[in-house]
């Protein structure tokens, strides 16, 4: 199912171009043979043309013209010479009035798309003053969103032939917006911003392997169209994205033109499988080293390992479907013989018997009954290819839906968007069929939009009251009427033939086309050709389309038994993809909605979006068909310039006013210039003519020494400006807004400072009041505590005093009693060791106010005044004493209470007279 031609694809990092240093000889030969016939041929010589000599005698300065509107005279020859000189000096971007011309270098250009270059263009006050670059277009669209000038939403349309560099240009635009529009100063949102940026970029990295393939004219050709909306919030920060796809070329899965290849993902899978196991049964295993990048993109987008394995099993199952071979049976009533079925059924997780039945037997409905009919060998091959295309198309659609769920922001979180359109380029091969017709039809629609927006609308000066010499341009409306017109056109006749319940006949269709469309000059037929065909004169040249098989491709029939088979698969992803497919077929029918009808409707919705936004066109030019670096073929380039209308666009941009703004938008956007001008404000009507002239006159006086009316014109409903005057208006507006912002910042800072000081003073007063209140509360507590202590102390003093008086009375009675005489030993020594006394000694003493710690042995020195107190203390504390050594008794009558600190109310002199000091060891 895949060709085995060798292909060399070299990638140079995240922000480097894809360059192709090697091209197979077979491809080069085929490209040389199949190069399509151009509409207007022009012979170019290596010598300098007379117009060029009159324009600029010194050819060494041709590369300095960064804007082709400066070329005089503007002819295809002068424009071609300037582009060639710039291409030779490795300058690949050139302004062409309102568009940007990009020449594909086919080689690595160091630091041309680095992050520093992005920041340089993004931070520049006037990016137009820098060298032409794709980042200028991106920044202009981004600043239009920030200025909120209607229409706010922007669209970047990248057009050109296949191989001109559209895919890479779109990738650069997405990288630019993901870098400059995803910056945030909020620390907590950095992870979210990086996640959004990575997923937006990975969405493109994932769709390319599944939707791009190698063709005769391009090694990385997009086989589907996509419109990516980068969603911005109110602060113009990137918060999400969404992807819309158009017409995947699914026929490439089962059949590729000569010397072309299948989608990249198949080669990545087979290469990865070849490094892990022996897959000699797959005959087309080629070298592909981008598989890990695809897996990383899946991981970042949230496709887990289980889903990835299911995807790879489905892809392997599609590959093995291509290896199924059929041979006719001897008995025509029996189905064809199937060579191999087990491996494909195993990978798709379906029953081998059911797969065999679905591929070899068709179900016919007769009334309410179903009849089984064996298929011929050709029908079996068609059903096999139909199954492969159906599975791959549904897988691609599932990927797009999953990507949108992963990167799309909530509808309330974004308000504007910048769209990037990347569609297939104009194609013309040796054999062209329905796919090329739809692709070229899409390019015709985009060219018609360019014509209507730039060439036709830019010359709408007569209705605005301007004198204008109309510049002729090539209008492709007649070609569009031929393809999509009503009631009769190629599409309408093709759909009518497809809805008939009969086998298609290419010759009968050719006869009908000749009969119904012979009046249109854009269609023709080769009378002596044996192959049924028709030729359409497109804006980029004539293309011949073969009618054989076109009706069947337009029908795109899907047998219902194939859908039922896939719904019974044990692969959960296959079940999910085909869960609602049967309901859709039952409501609409299999043959009611054709491929052309669906593509036309989707393209019309795209054109509505483009008409509702501000478009920015980038024309990609392919310098040579061999994709060789720094090779500039004049004939190849000049035909592309004439076909896409670059020369006419330069004429109109140089002679006219490329910028036009409605009165209301102009006054709303630039009305503040008169208010803050040096001449003072002028009180005029809100949107009056005087107001507009006042704004313009202020800008002309301040920025131009010699004001000229050639820079501006006020029409009946719009203001027409040149790009120079628009830049001056933007500069003046930005200066005024910066001054106003500075004044607002000063007022805000002054207000904040005053507010801070007021708060500081208020806080000081509150703190002082709180501190004084706390001190008062603390002092009050102290006073209450002191009073309680004093009251308790007085009560205690009174109690002690009463006890002391009672003790004094007892002591007086004790003094009157007879005191026993001291022993001879005590009288001799003056002190005695109590342990030496064998009999207990009764001691009566006064209470004492000093508490002593108990110890097994204490030496107490007593005087006559303290002897009784110590013994009273010992008795009160119940100190452990040696049994039988001494006995301490109180002198209270009750013998239950010993007072502390109560001194006897007798003089010390009395005790000194009657008692001597003793030392007791206890």
């Amino acid at each position: 199912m895949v060709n085995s031609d060798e292909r060399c694809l070299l990638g140079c990092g995240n922000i480097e171009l894809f360059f192709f240093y090697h091209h197979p000889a077979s491809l080069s030969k085929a490209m040389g043979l199949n190069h399509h016939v151009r509409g207007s041929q022009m012979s170019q010589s290596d010598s300098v043309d007379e117009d060029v000599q009159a324009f600029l005698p010194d050819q060494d300065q041709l590369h300095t013209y960064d804007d082709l509107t400066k070329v005089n005279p503007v002819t295809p020859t002068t424009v071609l010479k300037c582009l060639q000189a710039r291409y030779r000096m490795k300058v690949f971007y050139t302004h062409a009035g309102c568009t940007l011309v990009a020449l594909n270098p086919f080689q690595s250009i160091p630091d041309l798309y680095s992050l520093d270059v992005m920041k340089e263009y993004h931070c520049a006050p006037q990016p137009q003053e820098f060298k032409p670059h794709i980042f200028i277009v991106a920044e202009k669209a981004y600043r239009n969103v920030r200025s909120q000038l209607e229409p706010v939403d922007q669209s970047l349309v990248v057009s050109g032939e296949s191989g001109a560099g559209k895919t890479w240009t779109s990738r650069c635009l997405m990288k630019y917006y993901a870098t400059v529009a995803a910056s945030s100063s909020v620390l907590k949102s950095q992870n979210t911003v990086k996640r959004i940026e990575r997923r937006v970029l990975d969405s493109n990295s994932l769709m390319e392997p599944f939707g791009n393939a190698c063709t005769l004219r391009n090694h990385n050709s997009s086989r589907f169209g996509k419109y990516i909306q980068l969603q911005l919030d109110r602060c113009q920060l990137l918060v999400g994205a969404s992807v819309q796809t158009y017409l995947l070329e699914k026929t490439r899965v089962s059949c590729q033109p000569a010397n072309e290849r299948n989608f990249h993902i198949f080669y990545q899978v087979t290469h990865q499988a070849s490094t892990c196991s022996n897959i000699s049964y797959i005959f087309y295993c080629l070298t592909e080293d981008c598989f890990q990048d695809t897996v990383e993109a899946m991981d970042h987008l949230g496709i887990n390992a289980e889903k990835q394995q299911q995807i790879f099993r489905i892809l392997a199952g599609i590959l093995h479907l291509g290896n199924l071979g059929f041979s006719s049976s001897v008995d025509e009533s029996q189905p064809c013989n199937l060579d191999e079925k087990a491996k494909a059924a195993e990978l798709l997780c379906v029953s081998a018997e059911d797969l065999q039945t679905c591929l070899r037997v068709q179900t016919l409905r007769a009334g309410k009954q179903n009849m089984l009919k064996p298929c011929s060998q050709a029908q079996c091959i068609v059903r096999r290819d139909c199954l492969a295309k159906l599975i791959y198309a549904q897988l691609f659609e599932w990927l797009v839906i999953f990507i949108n769920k992963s990167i799309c922001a909530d509808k309330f979180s974004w308000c504007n968007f910048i769209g990037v359109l990347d569609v297939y380029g104009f194609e013309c091969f040796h054999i062209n069929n329905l796919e090329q017709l739809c692709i070229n039809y899409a390019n015709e629609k985009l060219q018609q939009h360019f014509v209507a927006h730039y060439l036709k609308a830019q010359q709408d000066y007569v209705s605005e009251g301007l004198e204008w010499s109309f510049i002729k341009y090539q209008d492709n409306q007649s070609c569009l009427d031929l393809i999509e017109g009503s009631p009769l056109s190629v599409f309408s006749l093709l759909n009518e033939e497809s809805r008939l319940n009969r086998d298609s006949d290419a010759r009968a269709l050719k006869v009908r086309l000749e009969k119904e469309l012979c009046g249109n000059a854009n269609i023709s037929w080769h009378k002596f050709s044996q192959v049924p065909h028709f030729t359409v004169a497109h804006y980029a040249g004539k293309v011949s389309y073969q009618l054989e098989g076109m009706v069947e491709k337009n029908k795109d029939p899907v047998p219902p038994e194939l859908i039922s088979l896939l719904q019974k698969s044990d692969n959960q992803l296959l079940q999910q993809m085909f869960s609602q497919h049967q309901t859709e077929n039952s409501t609409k029918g299999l043959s009611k909605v054709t491929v052309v009808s669906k593509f036309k409707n989707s393209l019309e919705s795209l054109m509505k979006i483009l008409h509702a936004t501000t478009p920015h066109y980038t024309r990609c030019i392919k310098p040579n068909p061999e994709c060789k670096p720094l090779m500039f073929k004049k004939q190849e380039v000049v035909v592309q310039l004439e076909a896409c209308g670059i020369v006419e666009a330069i004429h109109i941009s140089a002679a006219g006013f490329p910028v036009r703004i409605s009165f209301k938008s102009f006054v709303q956007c630039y009305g503040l210039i008169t208010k803050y001008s040096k001449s003072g404000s002028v009180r005029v009507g809100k949107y009056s003519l005087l107001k507009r002239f006042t704004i313009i006159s202020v800008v002309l006086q301040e920025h131009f020494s010699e004001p000229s009316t050639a820079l501006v014109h006020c029409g009946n409903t719009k203001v027409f400006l040149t790009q120079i005057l628009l830049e001056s208006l933007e500069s003046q507006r930005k200066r005024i807004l910066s001054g106003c912002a500075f004044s607002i910042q000063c007022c805000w800072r002054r207000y904040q400072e005053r507010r801070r000081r007021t708060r500081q003073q208020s806080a000081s007063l509150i703190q002082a009041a709180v501190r004084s209140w706390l001190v008062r509360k603390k002092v009050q507590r102290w006073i209450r505590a002191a009073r309680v202590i004093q009251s308790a102390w007085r009560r205690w003093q009174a109690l002690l005093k009463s006890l002391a008086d009672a003790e004094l009375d007892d002591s007086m009675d004790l003094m009157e009693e007879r005191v026993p005489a001291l022993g001879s030993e005590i009288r001799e020594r003056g002190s005695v060791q109590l342990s030496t006394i064998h009999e207990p000694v009764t001691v009566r003493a006064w209470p004492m106010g000093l508490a002593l710690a108990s110890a097994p042995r204490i030496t107490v020195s007593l005087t006559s005044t303290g002897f009784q107190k110590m013994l009273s203390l010992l008795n009160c504390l119940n100190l452990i004493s040696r049994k039988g050594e001494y006995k301490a008794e109180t002198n209270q009558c009750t013998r239950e209470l010993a007072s502390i600190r109560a001194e006897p109310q007798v003089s010390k002199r009395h005790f000194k007279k009657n008692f001597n000091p003793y030392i007791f060891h206890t």
Side-chain angles (χ1 to χ4, degrees):
M1 300 182 69
V2 189
N3 293 324
S4 58
D5 295 302
E6 184 180 2
R7 168 178 174 264
C8 180
L9 176 62
L10 303 178
C12 302
N14 295 330
I15 55 172
E16 294 293 329
L17 282 167
F18 281 109
F19 306 104
F20 315 103
Y21 298 104
H22 172 70
H23 199 284
S26 59
L27 291 182
S28 301
K29 182 179 179 180
M31 292 174 65
L33 292 175
N34 301 331
H35 186 61
H36 62 273
V37 181
R38 301 290 184 169
S40 59
Q41 301 294 332
M42 182 176 182
S43 61
Q44 301 293 329
S45 60
D46 294 334
S47 61
V48 181
D49 194 85
E50 296 179 357
D51 294 339
V52 180
Q53 292 179 349
F55 157 59
L56 187 62
D58 189 5
Q59 296 186 58
D60 296 336
Q61 300 299 320
L62 280 173
H63 68 278
T64 61
Y65 284 78
D66 54 1
D67 195 339
L68 296 178
T69 57
K70 301 177 182 178
V71 177
N72 189 17
V74 178
T75 63
T77 305
T78 56
V79 171
L80 181 67
K81 285 296 181 180
C82 286
L83 292 177
Q84 184 180 15
R86 292 175 65 82
Y87 191 74
R88 188 181 296 111
M89 298 300 295
K90 296 185 178 181
V91 182
F92 308 106
Y93 291 104
T94 307
H95 291 298
C98 51
T99 61
L100 179 70
V101 177
L103 295 170
N104 195 341
F106 296 113
Q107 69 172 3
S108 176
I109 309 300
D111 301 329
L112 185 60
Y113 306 98
S114 63
L115 295 178
D116 294 335
V117 176
M118 294 182 186
K119 295 179 181 179
E120 182 180 2
Y121 280 93
H122 178 62
C123 300
Q126 296 293 336
Q128 292 79 7
E129 298 177 358
F130 285 60
K131 293 182 180 180
H133 202 286
I134 187 62
F135 294 157
I136 292 182
V137 180
E139 183 62 24
K140 181 180 179 181
Y142 186 66
R143 296 191 180 188
N144 286 352
V145 176
R146 297 179 64 179
S147 64
Q148 295 293 300
L149 192 64
E150 294 292 338
V152 181
D153 298 330
Q154 310 289 310
S155 290
L156 304 178
V157 182
V158 183
S159 61
E161 290 194 358
S162 180
K166 300 184 300 300
T167 300
W168 170 249
T169 303
S170 302
R171 195 183 307 166
C172 291
L173 292 172
M174 293 180 61
K175 179 65 177 177
Y176 182 83
Y177 288 122
T179 302
V180 304
S183 59
S184 176
S185 59
V186 183
L187 183 61
K188 66 180 181 180
S189 63
Q190 286 296 321
N191 294 332
T192 304
V193 169
K194 291 181 180 179
R195 177 180 59 84
I196 294 173
E197 174 187 354
R198 187 62 183 268
R199 288 191 173 185
V200 169
L201 296 178
D202 286 335
S203 64
N204 192 60
S205 301
L206 182 58
M207 285 189 296
E208 281 192 15
F210 283 87
N212 289 23
C214 177
T215 64
L216 293 177
R217 296 186 58 81
N218 187 6
H219 297 270
N220 190 35
S221 177
S222 297
R223 309 317 301 165
F224 72 106
K226 62 177 179 290
Y227 184 71
I228 303 175
Q229 286 186 346
L230 303 176
Q231 300 162 348
L232 307 176
D233 60 4
R234 296 185 180 275
C235 298
Q236 288 78 49
L237 296 179
L238 183 65
V239 295
S242 64
V243 182
Q244 301 176 22
T245 59
Y246 308 94
L247 189 65
L248 175 69
E249 190 187 14
K250 59 183 180 180
T251 56
R252 186 170 291 269
V253 176
S254 59
C255 180
Q256 305 88 41
N259 300 319
E260 292 193 5
R261 290 184 21 162
N262 208 326
F263 294 103
H264 296 331
I265 186 62
F266 290 110
Y267 302 96
Q268 294 180 8
V269 171
T270 53
H271 172 66
Q272 181 67 17
S274 65
T275 59
C276 300
S277 61
N278 182 16
I279 58 167
S280 58
Y281 51 83
I282 298 180
F283 62 90
Y284 43 73
C285 180
L286 297 178
T287 301
E288 290 290 341
D289 55 355
C290 302
F291 180 77
Q292 293 301 327
D293 296 337
T294 304
V295 174
E296 290 181 3
M298 290 183 177
D299 292 335
H300 295 151
L301 289 171
I303 302 177
N304 54 33
E306 182 181 0
K307 288 289 185 184
Q308 293 179 19
Q309 291 299 323
Q310 294 175 2
I311 292 173
F312 298 144
R313 286 182 65 89
I314 292 174
L315 293 174
I318 294 174
L319 292 175
H320 281 277
L321 281 176
N323 293 335
L324 295 181
F326 301 92
S327 59
S328 300
S329 177
V330 178
D331 188 359
E332 295 182 356
S333 62
Q334 296 298 323
C336 296
N337 298 322
L338 181 60
D339 299 339
E340 178 187 354
K341 61 180 182 298
K343 194 63 179 179
E346 178 185 353
L347 292 171
L348 296 177
C349 301
V350 296
S351 172
E353 290 74 13
D354 294 343
L355 177 61
Q356 181 179 0
T357 303
C358 291
L359 295 180
R360 300 189 304 164
V361 179
Q362 60 178 334
T363 303
L364 302 178
R365 181 178 295 273
K368 295 183 179 180
Q369 296 181 355
N370 294 331
M371 300 178 59
L372 300 180
K373 178 184 177 182
C375 298
S376 63
Q377 182 180 6
Q379 290 176 339
C380 291
I381 295 175
V382 170
R383 293 171 75 89
R384 178 202 64 185
D385 295 344
C386 178
L387 179 61
K389 293 185 293 183
L390 175 65
I391 295 175
Y392 192 81
Q394 289 297 117
L395 177 61
F396 186 81
E397 184 178 353
W398 180 87
L399 281 174
V400 173
I401 295 174
F402 189 92
I403 289 173
N404 285 330
K405 291 181 179 179
S406 177
I407 65 177
C408 187
D410 185 67
K411 62 180 180 179
F412 299 105
S413 61
W414 63 278
C415 54
N416 301 116
F417 69 87
I418 298 178
V420 180
L421 179 62
D422 177 22
V423 296
Y424 7 62
F426 186 84
E427 292 183 351
C428 180
F429 302 123
H430 182 66
I431 299 177
N432 304 284
N433 210 286
L434 183 64
E435 295 82 9
Q436 282 68 41
L437 178 61
C438 292
I439 289 173
N440 294 337
Y441 164 66
N443 282 271
E444 288 284 353
K445 293 289 287 186
L446 293 178
Q447 178 66 16
Q448 194 260 351
H449 178 266
F450 175 78
V451 168
H453 185 80
Y454 283 111
L455 304 184
K456 185 177 181 180
Q458 290 287 334
Q459 299 190 77
D460 190 16
Y461 297 113
V462 178
S463 61
E464 294 289 338
L466 279 77
E467 294 183 359
W468 177 258
S469 178
F470 196 81
I471 299 176
K472 294 182 179 181
Y473 57 86
Q474 182 182 358
D475 194 352
N476 65 333
Q477 187 59 47
S478 59
C479 183
L480 284 175
D481 294 338
L482 170 68
I483 299 175
E484 65 170 0
S486 180
L488 294 177
S489 62
V490 174
F491 280 175
S492 63
L493 295 176
L494 190 60
N495 288 334
E496 184 178 344
E497 187 71 21
S498 301
R499 292 187 175 97
L500 297 177
N501 190 15
R502 66 183 184 186
D503 295 336
S504 60
D505 187 357
R507 296 188 180 276
L509 180 60
K510 177 185 177 182
V511 171
R512 190 172 185 193
L513 289 174
E514 291 179 350
K515 178 181 178 181
E516 301 292 347
L517 304 176
C518 60
N520 195 307
N522 292 88
I523 189 171
S524 60
W525 296 268
H526 196 280
K527 296 182 180 180
F528 301 102
S529 176
Q530 298 297 326
V531 180
H533 75 285
F534 65 96
T535 302
V536 178
H538 292 282
Y539 74 95
K542 293 184 178 182
V543 181
S544 179
Y545 301 98
Q546 290 189 3
L547 292 173
E548 189 68 36
M550 184 175 290
V551 175
E552 293 298 328
K553 289 183 178 180
N554 190 37
K555 290 180 180 180
D556 194 21
V558 179
E561 51 267 24
L562 296 182
I563 299 176
S564 301
L565 172 68
L566 297 174
Q567 289 176 344
K568 298 176 183 178
S569 173
D570 294 334
N571 190 317
Q572 296 180 357
L573 184 56
L574 274 177
Q575 289 184 357
Q576 181 181 354
M577 290 190 302
F578 290 93
S579 59
Q580 299 179 354
H581 202 283
Q582 187 176 6
T583 304
E584 179 180 346
N585 287 338
S586 62
T587 56
K588 296 183 179 180
L590 294 175
S591 60
K592 290 184 179 180
V593 181
T594 61
V595 172
V596 167
S597 299
K598 289 190 290 186
F599 182 67
K600 182 181 178 181
N601 293 335
S602 62
L603 198 59
E604 287 178 354
S605 63
L606 173 64
M607 299 311 298
K608 289 181 180 179
I609 296 176
L610 294 181
H611 284 296
T613 59
T614 301
H616 304 268
Y617 265 86
T618 300
R619 292 292 191 179
C620 297
I621 303 297
K622 188 176 183 180
N624 62 86
E626 292 82 10
C627 302
K628 293 183 178 180
L630 298 180
M631 178 184 289
F632 191 91
K633 289 194 174 181
K634 301 177 182 179
Q635 183 63 36
E636 180 79 13
V637 175
V638 75
V639 173
Q640 295 179 60
L641 293 176
E642 291 181 343
C644 61
I646 290 294
V647 178
E648 291 84 355
I650 297 173
H651 272 293
I652 296 172
S653 299
F657 302 95
V659 181
R660 67 239 3 248
I661 308 174
S662 64
F663 288 162
K664 182 178 180 180
S665 299
F666 182 80
V667 175
Q668 286 180 347
C669 187
Y670 304 109
L672 51 84
I673 295 178
T674 58
K675 182 178 180 181
Y676 294 94
S677 62
K678 297 179 181 179
S679 59
S681 60
V682 180
R683 295 184 178 180
V684 293
K686 190 174 182 181
Y687 304 122
S688 64
L689 183 62
L690 181 58
K691 178 82 171 181
R692 299 189 293 273
F693 277 115
T694 304
I695 298 171
I696 296 171
S697 61
V698 169
V699 176
L700 291 176
Q701 291 176 2
E702 294 186 3
H703 292 269
F704 300 95
S705 58
E706 297 181 359
S708 174
T709 57
L711 300 175
V712 62
H713 178 81
C714 289
N716 297 329
T717 61
K718 298 178 182 179
V719 177
F720 296 86
L721 307 171
T722 59
Q723 189 66 33
I724 298 177
L725 184 58
L726 179 64
E727 294 175 2
S728 302
L729 285 170
E730 286 292 336
S731 176
Q732 184 78 354
R733 179 174 177 266
K734 184 176 181 180
R735 183 182 62 82
I736 293 174
L737 290 177
S738 299
C740 295
F742 180 75
S743 301
I744 294 173
Q745 290 175 355
C746 293
C747 295
W748 175 251
R749 289 169 182 166
R750 182 168 58 250
Y751 166 75
Q752 289 284 72
E753 182 65 22
R754 291 177 179 176
R755 188 178 180 184
R756 186 187 65 82
R757 290 184 179 180
T758 303
R759 288 184 174 182
Q760 186 176 4
Q761 294 175 358
S762 301
S764 300
L765 293 177
I766 293 174
Q767 290 174 357
V770 171
R771 290 193 187 101
S772 62
W773 180 80
L774 292 176
V775 170
R776 286 196 300 271
K777 290 294 183 181
K778 190 173 183 180
V779 171
Q780 290 176 1
R781 286 197 300 270
W782 287 353
I783 293 174
R784 289 195 298 268
R787 289 175 181 174
V788 171
I789 294 173
Q790 288 176 357
S791 177
W793 176 254
R794 290 190 186 99
R795 289 195 302 271
W796 180 251
Q797 288 285 353
L799 179 61
L800 293 181
K801 184 176 181 181
S802 62
L803 294 176
D805 292 342
E807 291 176 357
L808 182 60
D809 295 340
D810 293 340
S811 62
M812 295 300 295
D813 296 338
L814 181 63
M815 291 174 57
E816 293 177 358
E817 297 179 1
R818 182 178 178 179
V819 179
L822 298 174
S824 58
E825 184 179 357
I826 297 176
R827 191 179 295 112
E828 292 176 358
R829 298 172 58 181
S831 64
V832 63
Q833 185 74 23
L834 294 181
S835 60
T836 60
I837 302 176
H838 301 287
E839 298 180 356
V841 179
T842 301
V843 181
R844 290 184 175 89
W846 294 98
M848 184 176 181
L850 178 64
L852 300 177
S854 70
R857 188 176 185 88
I858 302 176
T859 300
V860 183
S861 177
L862 300 176
T863 61
S864 59
T865 60
F867 181 72
Q868 288 184 347
K869 293 183 178 180
M870 178 54 63
L871 293 181
S872 298
L873 176 63
L874 295 176
N875 190 34
C876 292
L877 299 178
N878 293 324
L879 298 178
I880 301 175
S881 61
R882 293 184 178 89
K883 184 176 181 181
E885 291 184 355
Y886 67 90
K887 181 179 181 182
E889 296 179 354
T890 59
N891 62 343
Q892 283 82 355
C893 298
T894 61
R895 297 177 181 270
E896 294 179 358
L897 177 64
S899 64
I900 299 175
R901 296 184 182 274
E903 297 181 359
Q905 300 297 323
V906 295
S907 63
K908 296 181 180 180
R909 178 180 178 183
H910 175 74
F911 283 95
K912 290 179 180 180
K913 183 178 179 180
N914 296 281
F915 297 95
N916 293 324
Y918 298 100
I919 302 296
F920 292 94
H921 298 278
T922 62

